[in-house]
Amino acid sequence: MNFPAELSVFCLFFYLTVLNFLVPSAESKVSCKLKEIEEQKDLKKFVKSRRSILVLFAKDENEYKKAAGSFICEAVETMRVNVDAAFVNCEGIKGKRLCRQTKVDPTHFILQFYLDGQLKSSNYDRQHSAKSLIYFLKNPNEEAPWSEDPASNYVSHLESIEDLANILKRKSSVLIMFYAPWCGHCKRLKPQYATAAKDTIDGAVTLAAMDVNGDEYQNVRMHLNITGFPTLIYFKEGKPEFNYEGEYTRDAILEWTKDPKPFEKKNNVENKDIDWSASESASNVVFLDDETFDEYISTHNSVYVMLYAPWCGHCKKMKPDYEDAANELAEVKPDAALAAVDATASKSVAEKLKVKGFPTMKYFINGTLSNDEVNYRSKKDIVAFMRGLKVPDPVESEKPIEDNWESEKSSVVHLNSESFSTVLKKRKFSLVMFYAPWCGHCKRLKPHYALAAQLVKQQPKVLLAAVDCTKFTDVCSKFEVSGYPTLKVFKYGKEPFDYNGGRESQDFVSFLGKLMENDNSEKRVEL
C-alpha cells in the first residue's frame, strides 16, 4: 500500500507531536514506602485485598531499599490504580519467621506476584527495571517483551509514542515492524527480522519494531492503516512510503534493504508470489489455472486441490507441509495428486468452486468434486487421507446449509470480536468452541455442547461459549485456530489452553466441575 497523501502524513505527525507533550517523562524517579508484613495471617489477607499484588521478600533492610528504590517503587507508583505492594524483611524478628513459614530464603531479594489471591510467580526473573516490571504487571500471562531478548539487540525497539515520533524525525530510512505479542506470524518473523537487523550493511535502512496491540495505540493503527499483524512499513525522511510485502525471511529482507522499492503487483497479486510453481521444493505440486484445471481433474482419479492467495498468511504457513506431502506421495502413491490454484488469478475456477476464504481445500475423485468435506492441512493428515488411511468428514448433503446457530434457543453464549474479552473476564472458567457453520464435526458436537451449557447455566463462575470463525476471523486468528471445532479453556478470559477431553455433554460438565474443585482446593493450601 502506498501513502501519497500529504494530508495523512500531516495528520500522523500532528498526532505524534501532540502526544509528545502529553506523555510523561520516564526520567523522573519515584520513591515510596511499601507496607511491611510480619505475620502469615496478614500476608494471606493482603494478597487477597486486590486483584494484583506484589510481595518483596528482602534479605534485610538494605536489600529492600535497593530493590524498591531501583525499580519496584516506580513501577508500583505507575500502576497504583491496579497494583498494590508490600515487603517482608527476612532478617526482622517476625519477618524471619514468616520467611521460614513461606520457605523463602533470598540471597538479595525475591519478588512474588499474586493474581486473584493466587501465587502466579514465585520469583520475578525478568529485567530489574521499572519498564520491564510495568509490562509484566500489565501482561502477566504473556512472555517477556521482545526488547528483552538479547538476540534482538540490533532491532530499534519503539516502546512509546515518543519513541515513534523521535525515530520519524530522523532524516533517514527506517523499516518498522508493527506487531502484537499474541500474533503467531509475528513470533515466526521475529528471529528472521532480528538477524536481518544485525546483518544490515552500513545501517542503510534502520530496522525497528513496535508493539501496537494496546488501546493506547489505536490512533497509530488508524493513521497508518494497520489492520493486521505483522505490518511492515517503510519510512523515508519521516514519511510512510509503502508496505514491505516481501518474504518474511532474513535473506529477503536483507536483499530488499540494499535497494528499497515498492513491490510490483499484477492484478493486485505480487509477482514474487505468482511463481510458487517455480520453487524447487514444490516440484511435485501440480499447478493448475483456468485453462488447465478441468482437463487435469477429469483425467485423474484422486486430486486434492489447494486454492490459495499469494498474500494469504495462512497459505504461506501451509505451503511447506503441502510441498512435503506432495514429495512423499510421489514416492509412495504416485496416483494421488496434490494440486494448487492461485484463486486470485484463476477467477473462473475460484467462482465455480465458490471460494470465499484462503486456503480453500477441495477433493476430486474420478473427476468429480467429492461430497465429503475435506480440510486437512498438515503433512501427516494430507498423506494419510490421500493414502486412504484417514476418512473425511462427511457433509450432510440432504440438509440445507447450517442456519445461524446464534438464532437457536440455547444456553451457549455466542461471542463476537467486541464481546469476547468483556464476557470471558467475568467468569472464572470458560470453555469456548471455535467453529465453522459448514463443519460436520461441529454439527455433530453442537447438541452435546448445548446440553452441557444448559446443565451448568446455574453455575455463576463457569460458561460455555462459541465463536463463529467464518464471521469473527480476528478472534480465531488471535488464538491460532487452525481446525474446527477447536475448544479452548480460559480463566477470566486469559491463560488459554486446549481442551482435549471427551465430546459428550457429561464430559464437559465433569471437566468444568473438576476445574472448580481443583481451584478451590488450591485456595486452602497454606502460604
Side-chain angles (χ1 to χ4, degrees), residues 300-349:
H300 290 77
N301 295 330
S302 179
V303 186
Y304 193 40
V305 182
M306 172 183 174
L307 296 113
Y308 70 97
W311 44 259
C312 162
H314 292 297
C315 304
K316 292 177 181 178
K317 179 181 177 182
M318 181 180 169
K319 283 179 182 178
D321 268 32
Y322 203 65
E323 293 170 352
D324 289 346
N327 295 337
E328 182 171 331
L329 287 169
E331 296 180 3
V332 299
K333 193 173 175 63
D335 58 329
L338 297 191
V341 177
D342 178 354
T344 64
S346 301
K347 295 183 178 179
S348 295
V349 173

Short mmCIF file of all heavy atoms in Angstrom, two decimals, residues 300-349:
data_model
loop_
_atom_site.label_atom_id
_atom_site.label_comp_id
_atom_site.label_asym_id
_atom_site.label_seq_id
_atom_site.Cartn_x
_atom_site.Cartn_y
_atom_site.Cartn_z
N HIS A 300 -7.71 -37.52 -13.95
CA HIS A 300 -7.03 -38.10 -12.80
C HIS A 300 -8.04 -38.54 -11.75
O HIS A 300 -9.07 -37.90 -11.54
CB HIS A 300 -6.05 -37.08 -12.19
CG HIS A 300 -4.86 -36.82 -13.06
ND1 HIS A 300 -4.93 -36.01 -14.19
CD2 HIS A 300 -3.58 -37.27 -13.01
CE1 HIS A 300 -3.75 -35.97 -14.78
NE2 HIS A 300 -2.91 -36.73 -14.08
N ASN A 301 -7.73 -39.66 -11.12
CA ASN A 301 -8.72 -40.29 -10.23
C ASN A 301 -8.78 -39.68 -8.82
O ASN A 301 -9.82 -39.74 -8.18
CB ASN A 301 -8.41 -41.79 -10.10
CG ASN A 301 -8.58 -42.52 -11.41
OD1 ASN A 301 -9.42 -42.12 -12.23
ND2 ASN A 301 -7.81 -43.57 -11.63
N SER A 302 -7.68 -39.15 -8.35
CA SER A 302 -7.65 -38.65 -6.97
C SER A 302 -6.79 -37.39 -6.90
O SER A 302 -5.57 -37.44 -7.01
CB SER A 302 -7.07 -39.73 -6.03
OG SER A 302 -7.01 -39.27 -4.70
N VAL A 303 -7.45 -36.24 -6.72
CA VAL A 303 -6.73 -34.95 -6.71
C VAL A 303 -7.21 -34.11 -5.53
O VAL A 303 -8.40 -33.87 -5.36
CB VAL A 303 -6.97 -34.16 -8.01
CG1 VAL A 303 -6.09 -32.91 -8.03
CG2 VAL A 303 -6.72 -35.01 -9.24
N TYR A 304 -6.25 -33.68 -4.71
CA TYR A 304 -6.52 -32.77 -3.60
C TYR A 304 -6.03 -31.40 -4.03
O TYR A 304 -4.89 -31.24 -4.48
CB TYR A 304 -5.76 -33.24 -2.36
CG TYR A 304 -6.16 -32.60 -1.06
CD1 TYR A 304 -7.49 -32.32 -0.76
CD2 TYR A 304 -5.20 -32.28 -0.11
CE1 TYR A 304 -7.86 -31.76 0.44
CE2 TYR A 304 -5.55 -31.71 1.12
CZ TYR A 304 -6.88 -31.45 1.38
OH TYR A 304 -7.24 -30.89 2.58
N VAL A 305 -6.89 -30.38 -3.95
CA VAL A 305 -6.58 -29.07 -4.51
C VAL A 305 -6.55 -28.00 -3.42
O VAL A 305 -7.48 -27.90 -2.60
CB VAL A 305 -7.62 -28.66 -5.58
CG1 VAL A 305 -7.25 -27.30 -6.19
CG2 VAL A 305 -7.71 -29.73 -6.67
N MET A 306 -5.49 -27.22 -3.41
CA MET A 306 -5.36 -26.08 -2.51
C MET A 306 -5.59 -24.80 -3.33
O MET A 306 -4.81 -24.49 -4.22
CB MET A 306 -3.97 -26.06 -1.87
CG MET A 306 -3.65 -24.81 -1.07
SD MET A 306 -1.92 -24.89 -0.44
CE MET A 306 -1.75 -23.26 0.28
N LEU A 307 -6.66 -24.08 -3.03
CA LEU A 307 -6.91 -22.80 -3.68
C LEU A 307 -6.42 -21.71 -2.74
O LEU A 307 -6.88 -21.60 -1.60
CB LEU A 307 -8.40 -22.64 -3.98
CG LEU A 307 -8.92 -23.69 -4.98
CD1 LEU A 307 -9.90 -24.63 -4.31
CD2 LEU A 307 -9.56 -23.02 -6.20
N TYR A 308 -5.47 -20.93 -3.19
CA TYR A 308 -4.75 -20.01 -2.30
C TYR A 308 -4.69 -18.60 -2.88
O TYR A 308 -5.01 -18.36 -4.05
CB TYR A 308 -3.32 -20.52 -2.06
CG TYR A 308 -2.42 -20.42 -3.27
CD1 TYR A 308 -1.55 -19.35 -3.44
CD2 TYR A 308 -2.44 -21.41 -4.27
CE1 TYR A 308 -0.73 -19.25 -4.56
CE2 TYR A 308 -1.63 -21.31 -5.38
CZ TYR A 308 -0.78 -20.23 -5.52
OH TYR A 308 0.03 -20.13 -6.63
N ALA A 309 -4.29 -17.66 -2.02
CA ALA A 309 -3.98 -16.29 -2.45
C ALA A 309 -2.52 -16.02 -2.10
O ALA A 309 -2.07 -16.40 -1.02
CB ALA A 309 -4.88 -15.30 -1.75
N PRO A 310 -1.76 -15.40 -2.98
CA PRO A 310 -0.32 -15.20 -2.73
C PRO A 310 -0.04 -14.42 -1.45
O PRO A 310 0.96 -14.65 -0.80
CB PRO A 310 0.14 -14.41 -3.97
CG PRO A 310 -0.83 -14.78 -5.03
CD PRO A 310 -2.15 -14.94 -4.33
N TRP A 311 -0.95 -13.50 -1.09
CA TRP A 311 -0.70 -12.67 0.10
C TRP A 311 -1.19 -13.31 1.40
O TRP A 311 -0.96 -12.80 2.49
CB TRP A 311 -1.41 -11.32 -0.07
CG TRP A 311 -2.82 -11.43 -0.60
CD1 TRP A 311 -3.22 -11.20 -1.87
CD2 TRP A 311 -4.00 -11.80 0.13
NE1 TRP A 311 -4.57 -11.40 -2.00
CE2 TRP A 311 -5.07 -11.77 -0.79
CE3 TRP A 311 -4.26 -12.16 1.44
CZ2 TRP A 311 -6.38 -12.08 -0.43
CZ3 TRP A 311 -5.55 -12.47 1.82
CH2 TRP A 311 -6.59 -12.43 0.89
N CYS A 312 -1.87 -14.45 1.29
CA CYS A 312 -2.52 -15.08 2.45
C CYS A 312 -1.49 -15.69 3.41
O CYS A 312 -0.72 -16.57 3.04
CB CYS A 312 -3.50 -16.14 1.97
SG CYS A 312 -3.99 -17.34 3.23
N GLY A 313 -1.47 -15.19 4.65
CA GLY A 313 -0.53 -15.70 5.65
C GLY A 313 -0.74 -17.16 5.97
O GLY A 313 0.21 -17.93 6.14
N HIS A 314 -2.01 -17.59 6.08
CA HIS A 314 -2.29 -19.00 6.39
C HIS A 314 -1.83 -19.91 5.25
O HIS A 314 -1.39 -21.04 5.49
CB HIS A 314 -3.80 -19.19 6.64
CG HIS A 314 -4.28 -18.53 7.89
ND1 HIS A 314 -3.84 -18.89 9.14
CD2 HIS A 314 -5.16 -17.51 8.08
CE1 HIS A 314 -4.44 -18.14 10.05
NE2 HIS A 314 -5.23 -17.29 9.44
N CYS A 315 -1.94 -19.40 4.01
CA CYS A 315 -1.47 -20.18 2.87
C CYS A 315 0.04 -20.37 2.92
O CYS A 315 0.56 -21.46 2.70
CB CYS A 315 -1.87 -19.49 1.56
SG CYS A 315 -3.64 -19.16 1.40
N LYS A 316 0.74 -19.26 3.21
CA LYS A 316 2.20 -19.33 3.29
C LYS A 316 2.63 -20.30 4.38
O LYS A 316 3.61 -21.04 4.22
CB LYS A 316 2.76 -17.93 3.57
CG LYS A 316 2.58 -16.96 2.42
CD LYS A 316 3.10 -15.57 2.79
CE LYS A 316 2.89 -14.59 1.64
NZ LYS A 316 3.33 -13.22 2.00
N LYS A 317 1.89 -20.29 5.48
CA LYS A 317 2.22 -21.19 6.58
C LYS A 317 2.03 -22.65 6.18
O LYS A 317 2.77 -23.54 6.59
CB LYS A 317 1.32 -20.86 7.78
CG LYS A 317 1.55 -21.73 9.00
CD LYS A 317 0.60 -21.34 10.12
CE LYS A 317 0.77 -22.28 11.32
NZ LYS A 317 -0.18 -21.92 12.40
N MET A 318 1.02 -22.91 5.33
CA MET A 318 0.69 -24.27 4.94
C MET A 318 1.58 -24.81 3.82
O MET A 318 1.76 -26.03 3.69
CB MET A 318 -0.78 -24.32 4.51
CG MET A 318 -1.27 -25.71 4.09
SD MET A 318 -3.00 -25.68 3.60
CE MET A 318 -3.15 -27.32 2.87
N LYS A 319 2.16 -23.93 3.01
CA LYS A 319 2.90 -24.36 1.82
C LYS A 319 3.97 -25.41 2.10
O LYS A 319 4.05 -26.41 1.39
CB LYS A 319 3.52 -23.14 1.12
CG LYS A 319 2.54 -22.33 0.30
CD LYS A 319 3.22 -21.13 -0.34
CE LYS A 319 2.24 -20.29 -1.12
NZ LYS A 319 2.89 -19.09 -1.72
N PRO A 320 4.83 -25.25 3.12
CA PRO A 320 5.88 -26.26 3.34
C PRO A 320 5.31 -27.65 3.60
O PRO A 320 5.83 -28.64 3.07
CB PRO A 320 6.62 -25.73 4.57
CG PRO A 320 6.39 -24.26 4.54
CD PRO A 320 5.00 -24.10 4.02
N ASP A 321 4.24 -27.76 4.40
CA ASP A 321 3.61 -29.05 4.65
C ASP A 321 3.03 -29.63 3.37
O ASP A 321 3.12 -30.84 3.11
CB ASP A 321 2.52 -28.91 5.72
CG ASP A 321 3.04 -29.16 7.12
OD1 ASP A 321 4.21 -28.83 7.39
OD2 ASP A 321 2.29 -29.69 7.94
N TYR A 322 2.42 -28.76 2.58
CA TYR A 322 1.80 -29.22 1.33
C TYR A 322 2.87 -29.75 0.37
O TYR A 322 2.69 -30.80 -0.27
CB TYR A 322 1.03 -28.06 0.70
CG TYR A 322 -0.07 -28.48 -0.25
CD1 TYR A 322 -1.18 -29.18 0.21
CD2 TYR A 322 0.00 -28.17 -1.61
CE1 TYR A 322 -2.20 -29.55 -0.65
CE2 TYR A 322 -1.01 -28.53 -2.48
CZ TYR A 322 -2.12 -29.23 -2.00
OH TYR A 322 -3.11 -29.61 -2.87
N GLU A 323 3.96 -29.04 0.28
CA GLU A 323 5.06 -29.47 -0.59
C GLU A 323 5.65 -30.79 -0.11
O GLU A 323 5.90 -31.70 -0.91
CB GLU A 323 6.14 -28.40 -0.63
CG GLU A 323 5.72 -27.13 -1.32
CD GLU A 323 6.72 -26.00 -1.13
OE1 GLU A 323 7.67 -26.19 -0.34
OE2 GLU A 323 6.57 -24.94 -1.77
N ASP A 324 5.87 -30.91 1.21
CA ASP A 324 6.43 -32.15 1.77
C ASP A 324 5.50 -33.33 1.54
O ASP A 324 5.94 -34.45 1.25
CB ASP A 324 6.71 -31.98 3.26
CG ASP A 324 7.88 -31.05 3.53
OD1 ASP A 324 8.63 -30.76 2.59
OD2 ASP A 324 8.03 -30.61 4.69
N ALA A 325 4.20 -33.08 1.67
CA ALA A 325 3.22 -34.15 1.45
C ALA A 325 3.24 -34.59 -0.02
O ALA A 325 3.18 -35.79 -0.32
CB ALA A 325 1.82 -33.66 1.84
N ALA A 326 3.35 -33.63 -0.93
CA ALA A 326 3.40 -33.95 -2.35
C ALA A 326 4.65 -34.77 -2.68
O ALA A 326 4.60 -35.73 -3.46
CB ALA A 326 3.38 -32.67 -3.18
N ASN A 327 5.76 -34.43 -2.06
CA ASN A 327 7.01 -35.17 -2.29
C ASN A 327 6.91 -36.60 -1.78
O ASN A 327 7.37 -37.54 -2.44
CB ASN A 327 8.18 -34.45 -1.61
CG ASN A 327 8.46 -33.08 -2.23
OD1 ASN A 327 8.10 -32.84 -3.38
ND2 ASN A 327 9.07 -32.19 -1.46
N GLU A 328 6.30 -36.78 -0.62
CA GLU A 328 6.17 -38.13 -0.07
C GLU A 328 5.20 -38.97 -0.90
O GLU A 328 5.46 -40.15 -1.17
CB GLU A 328 5.71 -38.06 1.38
CG GLU A 328 5.60 -39.44 2.04
CD GLU A 328 5.36 -39.36 3.53
OE1 GLU A 328 5.79 -38.38 4.17
OE2 GLU A 328 4.72 -40.30 4.08
N LEU A 329 4.08 -38.36 -1.29
CA LEU A 329 3.10 -39.11 -2.09
C LEU A 329 3.66 -39.50 -3.45
O LEU A 329 3.30 -40.55 -3.99
CB LEU A 329 1.83 -38.26 -2.27
CG LEU A 329 0.95 -38.11 -1.03
CD1 LEU A 329 -0.13 -37.05 -1.26
CD2 LEU A 329 0.29 -39.45 -0.67
N ALA A 330 4.53 -38.70 -4.01
CA ALA A 330 5.14 -39.02 -5.30
C ALA A 330 5.93 -40.32 -5.23
O ALA A 330 6.05 -41.04 -6.23
CB ALA A 330 6.05 -37.88 -5.75
N GLU A 331 6.42 -40.64 -4.02
CA GLU A 331 7.19 -41.88 -3.84
C GLU A 331 6.32 -43.07 -3.47
O GLU A 331 6.53 -44.17 -3.97
CB GLU A 331 8.25 -41.66 -2.76
CG GLU A 331 9.30 -40.62 -3.11
CD GLU A 331 10.33 -40.43 -2.01
OE1 GLU A 331 10.24 -41.17 -1.00
OE2 GLU A 331 11.22 -39.58 -2.14
N VAL A 332 5.34 -42.85 -2.60
CA VAL A 332 4.57 -43.99 -2.07
C VAL A 332 3.23 -44.20 -2.76
O VAL A 332 2.69 -45.30 -2.75
CB VAL A 332 4.34 -43.83 -0.55
CG1 VAL A 332 5.66 -43.78 0.19
CG2 VAL A 332 3.50 -42.59 -0.24
N LYS A 333 2.65 -43.14 -3.35
CA LYS A 333 1.35 -43.28 -4.02
C LYS A 333 1.26 -42.26 -5.16
O LYS A 333 0.59 -41.23 -5.03
CB LYS A 333 0.20 -43.09 -3.02
CG LYS A 333 -1.16 -43.52 -3.56
CD LYS A 333 -2.20 -43.44 -2.45
CE LYS A 333 -3.60 -43.75 -2.98
NZ LYS A 333 -3.72 -45.12 -3.51
N PRO A 334 1.96 -42.50 -6.25
CA PRO A 334 2.05 -41.52 -7.34
C PRO A 334 0.72 -41.19 -8.01
O PRO A 334 0.62 -40.16 -8.68
CB PRO A 334 3.03 -42.18 -8.32
CG PRO A 334 3.03 -43.62 -7.97
CD PRO A 334 2.76 -43.71 -6.51
N ASP A 335 -0.30 -42.05 -7.85
CA ASP A 335 -1.59 -41.76 -8.48
C ASP A 335 -2.43 -40.78 -7.65
O ASP A 335 -3.51 -40.38 -8.07
CB ASP A 335 -2.38 -43.04 -8.71
CG ASP A 335 -2.63 -43.81 -7.42
OD1 ASP A 335 -1.77 -43.73 -6.51
OD2 ASP A 335 -3.66 -44.49 -7.34
N ALA A 336 -1.94 -40.39 -6.47
CA ALA A 336 -2.62 -39.41 -5.63
C ALA A 336 -1.94 -38.06 -5.84
O ALA A 336 -0.77 -37.88 -5.50
CB ALA A 336 -2.55 -39.81 -4.16
N ALA A 337 -2.65 -37.10 -6.43
CA ALA A 337 -2.04 -35.83 -6.82
C ALA A 337 -2.44 -34.70 -5.88
O ALA A 337 -3.60 -34.61 -5.46
CB ALA A 337 -2.45 -35.48 -8.25
N LEU A 338 -1.47 -33.84 -5.59
CA LEU A 338 -1.74 -32.60 -4.87
C LEU A 338 -1.58 -31.46 -5.85
O LEU A 338 -0.53 -31.30 -6.47
CB LEU A 338 -0.78 -32.42 -3.70
CG LEU A 338 -0.82 -33.45 -2.57
CD1 LEU A 338 0.01 -32.97 -1.39
CD2 LEU A 338 -2.25 -33.72 -2.13
N ALA A 339 -2.64 -30.67 -6.00
CA ALA A 339 -2.64 -29.56 -6.96
C ALA A 339 -2.82 -28.24 -6.23
O ALA A 339 -3.24 -28.21 -5.07
CB ALA A 339 -3.74 -29.75 -7.99
N ALA A 340 -2.50 -27.15 -6.90
CA ALA A 340 -2.65 -25.82 -6.33
C ALA A 340 -3.15 -24.86 -7.39
O ALA A 340 -2.76 -24.95 -8.56
CB ALA A 340 -1.33 -25.34 -5.75
N VAL A 341 -4.02 -23.95 -6.98
CA VAL A 341 -4.57 -22.95 -7.89
C VAL A 341 -4.51 -21.59 -7.21
O VAL A 341 -5.00 -21.42 -6.08
CB VAL A 341 -6.04 -23.26 -8.24
CG1 VAL A 341 -6.62 -22.17 -9.13
CG2 VAL A 341 -6.16 -24.62 -8.91
N ASP A 342 -3.89 -20.62 -7.88
CA ASP A 342 -3.91 -19.24 -7.40
C ASP A 342 -5.30 -18.67 -7.71
O ASP A 342 -5.61 -18.30 -8.83
CB ASP A 342 -2.83 -18.42 -8.10
CG ASP A 342 -2.82 -16.96 -7.67
OD1 ASP A 342 -3.74 -16.56 -6.92
OD2 ASP A 342 -1.92 -16.22 -8.09
N ALA A 343 -6.14 -18.63 -6.68
CA ALA A 343 -7.54 -18.25 -6.87
C ALA A 343 -7.71 -16.78 -7.22
O ALA A 343 -8.75 -16.38 -7.76
CB ALA A 343 -8.35 -18.58 -5.62
N THR A 344 -6.70 -15.96 -6.95
CA THR A 344 -6.80 -14.54 -7.31
C THR A 344 -6.50 -14.31 -8.78
O THR A 344 -6.88 -13.29 -9.34
CB THR A 344 -5.84 -13.68 -6.46
OG1 THR A 344 -4.48 -14.06 -6.76
CG2 THR A 344 -6.10 -13.87 -4.99
N ALA A 345 -5.83 -15.27 -9.42
CA ALA A 345 -5.52 -15.18 -10.85
C ALA A 345 -6.48 -16.03 -11.67
O ALA A 345 -6.91 -15.63 -12.76
CB ALA A 345 -4.08 -15.60 -11.11
N SER A 346 -6.84 -17.21 -11.16
CA SER A 346 -7.75 -18.12 -11.87
C SER A 346 -9.16 -17.92 -11.31
O SER A 346 -9.67 -18.73 -10.52
CB SER A 346 -7.29 -19.57 -11.69
OG SER A 346 -5.98 -19.74 -12.20
N LYS A 347 -9.78 -16.84 -11.72
CA LYS A 347 -11.05 -16.45 -11.12
C LYS A 347 -12.22 -17.35 -11.53
O LYS A 347 -13.19 -17.49 -10.80
CB LYS A 347 -11.35 -15.00 -11.45
CG LYS A 347 -10.34 -14.04 -10.83
CD LYS A 347 -10.67 -12.59 -11.09
CE LYS A 347 -9.65 -11.69 -10.40
NZ LYS A 347 -9.92 -10.25 -10.63
N SER A 348 -12.13 -17.95 -12.70
CA SER A 348 -13.21 -18.85 -13.15
C SER A 348 -13.30 -20.08 -12.25
O SER A 348 -14.38 -20.49 -11.82
CB SER A 348 -13.00 -19.26 -14.60
OG SER A 348 -13.09 -18.15 -15.45
N VAL A 349 -12.12 -20.66 -11.95
CA VAL A 349 -12.09 -21.83 -11.06
C VAL A 349 -12.56 -21.43 -9.66
O VAL A 349 -13.36 -22.14 -9.03
CB VAL A 349 -10.66 -22.41 -10.97
CG1 VAL A 349 -10.59 -23.51 -9.93
CG2 VAL A 349 -10.22 -22.93 -12.33
#
